[in-house]
Each structure stands twice: as structure tokens, then as C-alpha cells.
Amino acid sequence: MSDPNEVDQNGNPVPETRVLAIASHVVYGYVGNTMATFCMQTLGCEVAAINTVDFSNHTGYHQWTGTRTPAPQITDLYAGLRNSNLLDYDVLLSGYIPSADVLHEVTTIARDLKFRRNTMNHGRFFWVLDPVMGDQGRLYVSEELVKGYRDAIGQGSDGPDLLVPNGFELELLSGVHLAGGGGGSEDGGELERKPTGDNFEADLGQVKKAIEVLHTRNGMPMVVVTSVRVQGKQDVLCVVGSEKKSDGSSRCFVVEVPVLDCYFSGTGDMFAGLMVARLREEAAAAGLLNKASYASEDDVLATDLPLAKATVKVLSSMSAVLEKTMQARNKEMEMWEGERKGMGQVASVDPQDHKGEEGGEERAKSLARTKAAEVRAVRNARDLIHPKIRYEAKELQE
Amino acid sequence: MSDPNEVDQNGNPVPETRVLAIASHVVYGYVGNTMATFCMQTLGCEVAAINTVDFSNHTGYHQWTGTRTPAPQITDLYAGLRNSNLLDYDVLLSGYIPSADVLHEVTTIARDLKFRRNTMNHGRFFWVLDPVMGDQGRLYVSEELVKGYRDAIGQGSDGPDLLVPNGFELELLSGVHLAGGGGGSEDGGELERKPTGDNFEADLGQVKKAIEVLHTRNGMPMVVVTSVRVQGKQDVLCVVGSEKKSDGSSRCFVVEVPVLDCYFSGTGDMFAGLMVARLREEAAAAGLLNKASYASEDDVLATDLPLAKATVKVLSSMSAVLEKTMQARNKEMEMWEGERKGMGQVASVDPQDHKGEEGGEERAKSLARTKAAEVRAVRNARDLIHPKIRYEAKELQE
């Protein structure tokens, strides 16, 4: 009910923000809503979480238990919120969605929330869509769901305001190959050939082209590609974002961040959660919360966009936390190795469960490594709240 | 894997703590795990959350949708954690449990976790049990579950280390009437008469007696009664705690906090979550994390117990946040009334859903009041992390 442009008296960097977050939940570790909710709450956002799955742990452990939430159960939870008058959200963040049915429900929810909020004069509704489909050339959802995402981003003003795909997902949605050479199809249909695979190196010109397709063909107001490797730069990842101008043209910025030698799960969710909070902060500072899609004027340069400023803050927080996570992981694995040696290869963590199995020792080590790489967001919340700015957004001209 | 007595370099007040939290989840608002998880994470605890229900909102709205988690589903999630070697918890916090089946599963989990942790030499396992059964004379779980709780707290060293009942629940578990006069039965069976009802005034001597029954009959190491009204003091609530000495006798302390004129949901969960973190902090400071039930020496005075110090910090945080919540609620309801008047009694929040219903206006107002009283923990996280100490623990001598 309060004015979102009002300055907060409690030291919160982000204006009052109510988020509906629809994504996965895991009991242990930090991916999906379990990651994004913590990041948003730590930055002062009120988060209502609808969980699309409820798993024991993330799939990087190669084993898990739990349930997927059927679409009618999500419909039912939303009806409960409606009946209790609990639908005054500023932002929808949608992440992992297990099926085309659930995606259909999410787009229905988005349309309903946007209608409610935009007729209430308490600031505009904003939908951040993380189109979780796959990574590094590997699709982990159904083709039907991929088609569903292509439809969802073609809804114009009922669609998402900000899309945060990885490189692979950008290819799938734009139809543009990111590696140099191939043009791909731009009609929103199937790619003419298989999307670019594992650890490919993107051409930034192609990345820009793909973003422009989303701006012009889909009317997507904002896009941030959360990580692509580029030709000739082995040691950095590029994050590329753009907000379209009123004529549909792009204004792209790029932020380079160092590659860390560690695989983390949940970084996409961390990016999306922090982005919700920081984009609210920057859009409030620019007085844009009452404008559709928090749109900046056409004369704002790429590097001065709220989206660019938010991206720099988000990436600065993430790098600090991920570096500390990698240090903690290395220390934890050293201790783990030491304990295994001290006990003559007998499992200390779990004596019953993995002994005698074929490859039991390898498996125990793989599980320990995955666990040790769980992102240390909670113990390093200070880096989320007060990031030391490490990076700079530069205009992408190619 | 790290030493829990190690001083933290990242400004976290609480030592590294891994919590398994088994309680309810709501999409909107702050009760159960949704409240406790945020409180613990904000104080630096890693929290793995198993949700016993998944509701749209708390039951104070008098309407909700969602599902209860069947016991086999909880068993399954726990098996997933076990298979992935994710069972190295320092603390179990168990809150709302919907059925005797689920309680049985939780006590099995507690026994398993305690065995694993206590054979690992990384500090002792600690179980905080919030026996959510009812309040103010009204039971909201089955008699079978009440019986289940009575059995669960009679397990000796396999049972909970700290019990955090409200006054009503203390009566149900101890068999001692808290109002002056009646003695109740102390054999763990049914109370001889109905438990004391709505807004009763407790006799602190009876509260002490009830706690002593739990110490001696059940061997319960620690108890904190989260709120009782006492005779002759209309404007305060008493929080009474005790840690038993080695001979089973009590050492009770009491903290008086002012009554706020507002009904909040989730305060029990807030108390329990903050208590987990603060008790870890105080037990670490006293070098007790490797002792069973974090037991203090017999010569430690009631008011010097880690439990007493933790209680004072928890209540100081809670009062600050609840006062700010009440102010925000009042402001929100003033705006709500203003908007209703301005719109000639037409609902602004939700034009479709409640018009034309009998009592629709009353109902809309009741929903708005409940929503406005959702605890503002997220926006006031500073008060959770750095409470201004307002209260004092005094020895309870009567």
C-alpha cells in the first residue's frame, strides 16, 4: 500500500517490493526458490514462494527424491491467495517450470497479476522470466515446454518484461546461433541446425543479433544473457544486456567477469533473485516504477540504464560470494580427503550407505564435491547487501 | 566440517550451524518454516527445510488452499538426503506437524540424526521441539497427536533437548494447571479437568512446577514457555525458562515483555527460529557445543545460562520487529479505510471477488487486517541481527 518511491527508513537499499516467486524448492542446498528467495529477502523484498517441485536436493547430485507440483495444485494455491486478497505483487519471478501445463498456469497468473496491479496505481507490475530449459547444449525439459516458452515471450505487453536466459536458452528462443557463422532462423520456429553445444565460444555480434530478434520480433523490453564465453577470451565470461528503445532497436552493454574453476549450481537463480531487487532499486532511483516495463527514455545510454547498473551490482555480489564458496569448497574437500585417509577409506559421513557398492568411494567423493560447492550465500550475506563494485558495463558496439 | 567453536570472519554472530527445519510452509506471509527459515538464515544458519504443509496462507485468514504432506513423502525426502550424504545437521527444529504419522517420522529422523552427529565428533546434535498443538484453551490438532507429543518428550536422551511450548501446550504436556489452585495430574495422562482456557492468568509457581515435571519425569534438559499472562500484571507477558541441573532440579528465569495490542501470527515460529541461532551463539561462547544438550555446569545461575541470555536477545529482537509491525499495520489500515471511503465502499484491492457476498465488506476488512498484521521481519532484519537489549532475565524464586 505504501509508495514504492518512498525512501526506506530501516536501511534497506531496495524500495518496498512484493514478489511472487514461482520456481523449484530443494530441502538441502541453494537452487531455485531456495536460492532466489533468500537473495531477495536479504535485500529487503517480501517474497511469496510457489514451489514447482519439492526435491531433497538439486539434480547435480545425480540422485534425489521428491515431487513435482501438478499444475492444478498451483492453480489451487493461486485461488487461495486470490480468496484471501493476497495478490498485490510488484514483481513476478518465474524460474524452473517442470511442464507445459505449469507454464500455461504461470502465464495465466502473470496476466492476472499484471491486470490487477496496473489498474491500482501503485506502480507497474514487472515479470522477470528465467526460461530454464538447459545449458551447454543439453536440453533438460520437453520440446513441448520449449515451444511453450517461445509462445510465452510472444505475448507483447502481457509477456515478460525482462528475460534472463543463458547462452543456450537465448539460442533456443531467438533462433540465432551465437557462435560465429551460422545465422539461424529468426521466425521463432525450430533452429535449422542443433543449437551450439558444450563450452562453445560465442560471437558477441551474434549475441547482440539474438537480443535484437527478441526486442523486435517478440517486443521483449529487456534481456540479460547471464553468461557466454567469447572467442579469444578464455578467462572471462560475458554478461550481455539490453533495453530496447521505443523504435525497437537495442542498446547493448557487456560486463566481463572472470571465470572461476568450479561448477556451481543455482547461479542462474542467484542472478535472477538479486536482479529483481537491484532492478527495483535502480528503477526507483530513476523514478521509473510507474512506467510500463520500467522503461528508460530513448536518450539513456546503454551503460547508464538501470538494467546495466543493476547487472554490475548483481555480478559484484555474485563474484564475491562465489570466490568465497570456492575457497570454502577447497578447504572442505581437503578436510574430507584427510578424514578418509585417517579412516582407511571408510566413509566417515555415512558409514552405512555407500560401502560395498561398486564405485562407492568415487561416488562418495563426487557427492562430497557437489555438496562442498553449494553456494555460501547465507554466511556471506554482507556481500549481497553491500557489494564492493568490481566491474563496469561497457557499450557493446559490434 | 569446520569447527563450530571457530570464530567467524564474515561478521556472523552465530557459529556455523546446519539446521534441518521441519514445519509448515505458506506461500504468502510469515508462519512456520516461512518465518523460522528467514530468521535463522538472517542470523547465518544454513537451513534445510522439509515442509509439513504447503498452504496459500496461514489459517488466521480463515480460508486457505493447499496440501498437507503425507508421512511417506517426508520419509522419501529424508531418504533422498541420506542417499546424497546430506545429513550432517547440528540442529533439528521441528514445528507444526499435521498428524501422528508425521510426528512418528520426525522422531525417527531425530533419532537417526542424533546418532549420526554424536558419533562424528563435530559437536553434539540438538533438537528444538515446538509442540504446536493449540493456544488459549483451543486445541487445533488431534488427540492422537497430543498423545504422540507426550510420548516424544518421554524418550530421554533420544528426545528433544529444548521444548518451547506456549502456556496451553505446557499444561497439556506436563499435566499441571498453570492457573492457581488446581494441581492437575502429573502422570502424563489426561488432565483431570479441561486445560485452562482463553486469556487465563497463570500462577508463576505453577509454571515452575510444570517445568519441573518435564525436567524430572521426562528428563527434558531445557524448557522455555514462550508466553503466559500472570496474575496482577495486565500489561506484561512472562517468558519462563529453565535448564535442569544434573540432579533434575530446575533453575528458572523469567523475562517480562510488554503486551502489544495486536494479534500476530507466526510469533512462536519466530521465537523458535531466533532461539536456534542465539542458543548456538551463547553455547559456543560458553564452550558447550560438544556437551550433550549443551549442558551448563550445575553452579551456573539461572540468569547466567546460555538459554537465559539467548532468550533475552530473542525477545529484544521480537519486540522491536513487532512494534514496527504494529505501527505499519495501523498505517496500512488507515490507508485502506481511506481508499474504501474514496471509492464509495467498492473494493479497490479485489473488485471481483467479494462484492455482493453477504458480509463482503466485513470480510474484506478482516482479510485486510490479517494481512496488515503479517510480521515485518524482512524489512526489519537489522533488528534481528543487532537487537538493542531491552529486557533482563530474573531468577524465578516462587
Side-chain angles (χ1 to χ4, degrees):
Chain A
M1 290 273 175
S2 55
D3 179 355
N5 291 309
E6 198 174 276
V7 175
D8 184 83
Q9 303 300 319
N10 299 317
N12 291 301
V14 175
E16 285 217 4
T17 299
R18 293 181 188 272
V19 183
L20 180 63
I22 306 182
S24 53
H25 175 262
V26 289
V27 174
Y28 188 97
Y30 296 94
V31 302
N33 264 347
T34 314
M35 170 67 95
T37 298
F38 174 73
C39 291
M40 290 188 280
Q41 287 180 330
T42 293
L43 291 177
C45 303
E46 306 284 352
V47 181
I50 292 182
N51 298 325
T52 54
V53 309
D54 186 11
F55 284 173
S56 57
N57 48 264
H58 69 70
T59 58
Y61 289 89
H62 300 295
Q63 58 189 11
W64 64 93
T65 58
T67 52
R68 289 181 170 75
T69 313
Q73 203 164 308
I74 291 174
T75 311
D76 185 51
L77 285 171
Y78 190 73
L81 297 174
R82 185 175 59 237
N83 290 339
S84 296
N85 283 357
L86 300 174
L87 293 181
D88 59 338
Y89 303 103
D90 305 295
V91 177
L92 170 66
L93 171 59
S94 62
Y96 177 72
I97 285 172
S99 71
D101 281 358
V102 171
L103 178 60
H104 179 77
E105 179 58 26
V106 170
T107 57
T108 305
I109 287 172
R111 202 175 304 123
D112 186 50
L113 289 178
K114 188 166 268 197
F115 172 79
R116 286 168 186 270
R117 167 48 51 115
N118 291 350
T119 53
M120 273 173 62
N121 205 21
H122 289 302
R124 305 293 284 201
F125 180 75
F126 198 96
W127 178 10
V128 178
L129 174 72
D130 182 1
V132 182
M133 294 187 287
D135 202 2
Q136 302 190 340
R138 197 172 68 84
L139 197 65
Y140 36 71
V141 299
S142 68
E143 287 288 347
E144 192 190 0
L145 187 52
V146 176
K147 187 176 173 310
Y149 277 118
R150 289 194 183 123
D151 294 342
I153 64 167
Q155 296 184 102
S157 66
D158 269 352
D161 302 284
L162 166 61
L163 194 71
V164 290
N166 59 31
F168 177 63
E169 292 155 350
L170 178 63
E171 285 197 327
L172 285 169
L173 293 176
S174 68
V176 175
H177 281 288
L178 300 191
S185 78
E186 294 173 22
D187 61 0
E190 297 303 303
L191 279 175
E192 285 160 17
R193 54 184 170 90
K194 219 172 145 279
T196 315
D198 207 13
N199 273 326
F200 75 95
E201 294 182 343
D203 176 312
L204 286 182
Q206 291 296 105
V207 173
K208 188 175 177 193
K209 191 170 167 191
I211 291 173
E212 283 168 348
V213 167
L214 296 177
H215 281 336
T216 53
R217 185 189 64 197
N218 299 101
M220 182 65 58
M222 297 185 195
V223 180
V224 181
V225 189
T226 54
S227 69
V228 285
R229 285 175 188 266
V230 293
Q231 288 157 345
K233 294 189 175 181
Q234 289 298 323
D235 52 347
V236 299
L237 287 173
C238 287
V239 179
V240 183
S242 172
E243 179 183 337
K244 81 174 166 73
K245 297 187 190 175
S246 52
D247 64 358
S249 62
S250 70
R251 41 190 153 175
C252 284
F253 60 87
V254 57
V255 184
E256 293 188 359
V257 301
V259 173
L260 293 178
D261 181 26
C262 180
Y263 183 77
F264 307 102
S265 292
T267 50
D269 309 299
M270 189 178 192
F271 185 90
L274 293 173
M275 176 54 81
V276 165
R278 293 301 180 187
L279 187 60
R280 287 281 293 174
E281 178 186 31
E282 297 298 336
L288 298 171
L289 294 183
N290 290 311
K291 296 195 72 177
S293 301
Y294 305 162
S296 295
E297 297 293 333
D298 281 349
D299 59 0
V300 176
L301 298 177
T303 51
D304 292 336
L305 291 169
L307 186 66
K309 293 180 184 172
T311 299
V312 165
K313 283 188 183 171
V314 167
L315 294 174
S316 297
S317 283
M318 285 182 67
S319 286
V321 172
L322 295 179
E323 280 174 16
K324 289 178 183 173
T325 298
M326 198 170 70
Q327 289 158 14
R329 181 201 68 158
N330 294 345
K331 193 174 157 197
E332 190 169 319
M333 286 313 294
E334 270 171 36
M335 289 179 68
W336 189 89
E337 301 272 6
E339 292 195 11
R340 300 295 269 209
K341 271 191 196 142
M343 302 182 78
Q345 305 296 319
V346 176
S348 68
V349 179
D350 212 3
Q352 296 102 321
D353 299 325
H354 300 302
K355 70 179 176 190
E357 287 175 35
E358 208 175 340
E361 184 66 17
E362 273 307 298
R363 180 154 166 259
K365 184 167 179 178
S366 161
L367 291 172
R369 284 181 65 87
T370 307
K371 176 172 185 284
E374 290 279 3
V375 177
R376 259 73 163 184
V378 166
R379 298 297 288 180
N380 298 298
R382 242 181 2 191
D383 293 311
L384 302 182
I385 302 170
H386 304 293
K388 187 167 161 282
I389 299 301
R390 311 173 160 212
Y391 306 119
E392 192 183 358
K394 294 186 178 155
E395 197 183 343
L396 176 62
Q397 302 199 313
E398 39 201 311
Chain B
M1 291 275 173
S2 54
D3 180 356
N5 289 310
E6 197 175 279
V7 174
D8 184 85
Q9 303 302 319
N10 299 317
N12 292 300
V14 175
E16 284 217 5
T17 298
R18 292 179 188 274
V19 184
L20 181 65
I22 305 181
S24 53
H25 175 262
V26 289
V27 174
Y28 189 96
Y30 296 95
V31 304
N33 264 347
T34 315
M35 171 67 95
T37 297
F38 174 72
C39 291
M40 290 188 279
Q41 287 180 332
T42 293
L43 291 177
C45 302
E46 305 284 352
V47 181
I50 291 180
N51 299 324
T52 56
V53 308
D54 186 12
F55 284 171
S56 59
N57 49 263
H58 69 70
T59 59
Y61 289 88
H62 301 295
Q63 59 189 8
W64 64 92
T65 57
T67 53
R68 290 181 171 75
T69 314
Q73 203 164 309
I74 291 172
T75 311
D76 185 51
L77 285 173
Y78 190 73
L81 297 174
R82 186 175 56 240
N83 291 338
S84 298
N85 284 357
L86 299 174
L87 292 181
D88 59 337
Y89 302 103
D90 305 294
V91 178
L92 170 67
L93 171 59
S94 62
Y96 177 73
I97 284 173
S99 72
D101 282 357
V102 171
L103 179 59
H104 179 77
E105 179 58 27
V106 170
T107 58
T108 305
I109 287 172
R111 202 174 304 124
D112 186 49
L113 289 179
K114 187 166 271 198
F115 172 77
R116 285 168 187 271
R117 167 47 52 115
N118 292 350
T119 52
M120 272 172 61
N121 204 22
H122 290 302
R124 305 292 286 200
F125 181 75
F126 197 96
W127 179 11
V128 179
L129 174 71
D130 183 1
V132 182
M133 295 185 287
D135 201 5
Q136 302 190 340
R138 197 173 68 85
L139 197 64
Y140 36 70
V141 300
S142 69
E143 287 289 347
E144 192 191 0
L145 187 53
V146 176
K147 189 178 172 307
Y149 276 118
R150 289 195 182 121
D151 295 342
I153 65 166
Q155 296 184 101
S157 64
D158 269 351
D161 303 282
L162 166 60
L163 195 71
V164 290
N166 60 31
F168 178 64
E169 292 156 348
L170 178 64
E171 286 197 326
L172 286 169
L173 292 177
S174 68
V176 175
H177 280 287
L178 300 191
S185 77
E186 295 174 20
D187 61 0
E190 297 304 304
L191 280 174
E192 285 161 16
R193 55 184 172 86
K194 216 172 146 284
T196 317
D198 209 11
N199 272 326
F200 74 95
E201 295 182 344
D203 176 313
L204 286 182
Q206 291 296 106
V207 173
K208 188 177 177 191
K209 192 171 166 188
I211 290 173
E212 284 167 347
V213 166
L214 296 177
H215 280 336
T216 54
R217 186 189 63 197
N218 298 99
M220 182 64 57
M222 298 185 193
V223 180
V224 182
V225 190
T226 54
S227 70
V228 286
R229 285 175 186 267
V230 294
Q231 288 158 345
K233 294 189 174 179
Q234 289 296 325
D235 52 348
V236 299
L237 288 173
C238 287
V239 179
V240 183
S242 173
E243 180 183 336
K244 82 173 165 71
K245 296 187 190 176
S246 52
D247 66 356
S249 63
S250 70
R251 42 190 153 174
C252 284
F253 61 88
V254 58
V255 184
E256 292 187 0
V257 300
V259 173
L260 293 179
D261 181 26
C262 181
Y263 183 77
F264 306 101
S265 293
T267 52
D269 308 298
M270 189 179 191
F271 185 91
L274 293 173
M275 176 55 82
V276 165
R278 293 302 181 187
L279 188 58
R280 286 281 295 176
E281 176 186 32
E282 297 298 336
L288 298 171
L289 293 183
N290 292 311
K291 298 195 71 177
S293 300
Y294 305 161
S296 294
E297 297 293 332
D298 281 350
D299 60 359
V300 176
L301 298 177
T303 51
D304 292 336
L305 291 169
L307 187 66
K309 293 179 184 174
T311 300
V312 165
K313 283 189 182 170
V314 168
L315 294 173
S316 296
S317 282
M318 285 181 68
S319 286
V321 171
L322 295 179
E323 281 175 15
K324 289 179 183 173
T325 298
M326 197 168 71
Q327 289 159 12
R329 179 201 68 160
N330 294 345
K331 192 176 157 199
E332 188 168 320
M333 287 311 295
E334 269 171 38
M335 288 179 68
W336 189 89
E337 301 272 6
E339 293 196 9
R340 300 296 268 209
K341 270 191 195 143
M343 303 183 76
Q345 305 294 318
V346 176
S348 68
V349 179
D350 213 2
Q352 297 103 323
D353 300 323
H354 301 302
K355 70 181 177 189
E357 287 175 33
E358 210 175 339
E361 184 65 18
E362 273 307 297
R363 180 155 167 260
K365 183 168 179 177
S366 161
L367 291 173
R369 284 181 64 89
T370 307
K371 177 173 184 285
E374 291 278 5
V375 176
R376 259 71 163 184
V378 166
R379 297 296 289 180
N380 298 297
R382 240 179 8 188
D383 293 310
L384 302 182
I385 302 169
H386 304 293
K388 189 168 160 280
I389 299 301
R390 310 173 159 211
Y391 307 119
E392 191 183 358
K394 292 185 180 157
E395 196 183 343
L396 178 62
Q397 302 199 314
E398 39 201 309

